[in-house]
Amino acid sequence: MLVIGLTGGIGSGKTTVANLFAQLDIPIIDTDVIAREVTQPGQPALAEIEKHFGADILQADGTLNRGKLRDIIFNHVNERHWLENLLHPRIRKSMEAQIQALTSPYCIAVIPLLLEVEFYSMVNRILVVDASQQAQVERVMQRDKVSHSQVESILKNQASRQDRVARAHDVITNDGRIEDLTEQVEALNKKYLALASKST
Ligand code: ATP
């Protein structure tokens, strides 16, 4: 199975691009979705998080207070590492199981932190969605109703645009209209289908 790791900075358009591949019947594995699944009530990882951060990390209904957790790990790098050590092996295991179950020629794995963490070994190629910083800031401000400085501080903590593009096998440019993405996705789909047929 050819696994394409789809990554990009905040608000670059990863989800938008993944949806276009999904419309072409390509299966999508999303590590953000898996991260939410493994931290649902009843999951061992949530019990570990409660033990580590205290009961205040949960909301009244027993679900994880994701905003609070995000604030903590954003401001304390050692806590971020602790959380990554807890979640990443579980996320990898779930990804592997999902990939095993697929019968399509290739799949797209959406991995926002592909360059920052150790998910390299799980993908065959890296596809980067690249957008200007201005576009990223504007889109996230509008989507999440957050301030300019909040988006900029998140951007500062992520891999740089140059680093990402330098490590990409393929790049989708998302600086124009959403409609402009369709053609780029269709061209890559053809390329990946050809690559997948060669590798089997
Ligand atoms: P995150 O890292 O925050 O999860 P993402 O990389 O998945 O974000 P999307 O959610 O796909 O990015 O896009 C961010 C927002 O910008 C969405 O509201 C989306 O509809 C919008 N958007 C994406 N591409 C464009 C575009 N070319 N023009 C206008 N809006 C866009």
Side-chain angles (χ1 to χ4, degrees), residues 150-170:
Q150 276 173 299
V151 188
E152 286 206 322
S153 76
I154 294 170
L155 277 166
K156 252 190 254 146
N157 276 280
Q158 295 191 331
S160 75
R161 198 178 164 191
Q162 288 78 3
D163 274 357
R164 263 199 207 94
V165 171
R167 287 150 93 177
H169 297 90
D170 306 294

Side-chain angles (χ1 to χ4, degrees), residues 70-124:
R70 207 177 306 122
D71 283 346
I72 296 173
I73 63 167
F74 195 68
N75 292 305
H76 300 92
V77 72
N78 54 333
E79 299 293 13
R80 193 181 85 213
H81 289 149
W82 181 87
L83 190 69
E84 286 174 355
N85 283 335
L86 176 77
L87 296 184
H88 288 177
R90 290 176 163 84
I91 293 173
R92 273 203 300 274
K93 219 168 136 194
S94 171
M95 267 182 83
E96 269 157 14
Q98 290 187 36
I99 291 167
Q100 287 288 320
L102 293 174
T103 53
S104 56
Y106 79 93
C107 69
I108 300 279
V110 186
I111 313 179
L113 296 180
L114 181 57
L115 301 188
E116 284 92 339
V117 295
E118 67 290 359
F119 283 95
Y120 268 133
S121 58
M122 300 201 59
V123 305
N124 301 107

Side-chain angles (χ1 to χ4, degrees), residues 45-60:
L46 188 61
E48 293 287 328
I49 289 170
E50 183 185 358
K51 205 160 92 190
H52 184 80
F53 292 105
D56 282 356
I57 202 70
L58 301 184
Q59 308 192 93

Side-chain angles (χ1 to χ4, degrees), residues 7-19 32 110 112 129 135-136 138-140 142-144 158 173-181:
T7 194
I10 182 168
S12 56
K14 297 177 292 294
T15 307
T16 308
V17 167
N19 289 340
D32 278 348
V110 186
V129 185
Q136 286 178 273
E138 280 169 10
R139 288 172 196 161
V140 177
Q142 195 176 1
R143 186 193 57 188
D144 300 342
Q158 295 191 331
T173 304
N174 185 21
D175 273 339
R177 299 169 312 147
I178 290 191
E179 297 73 39
D180 298 338
L181 294 170

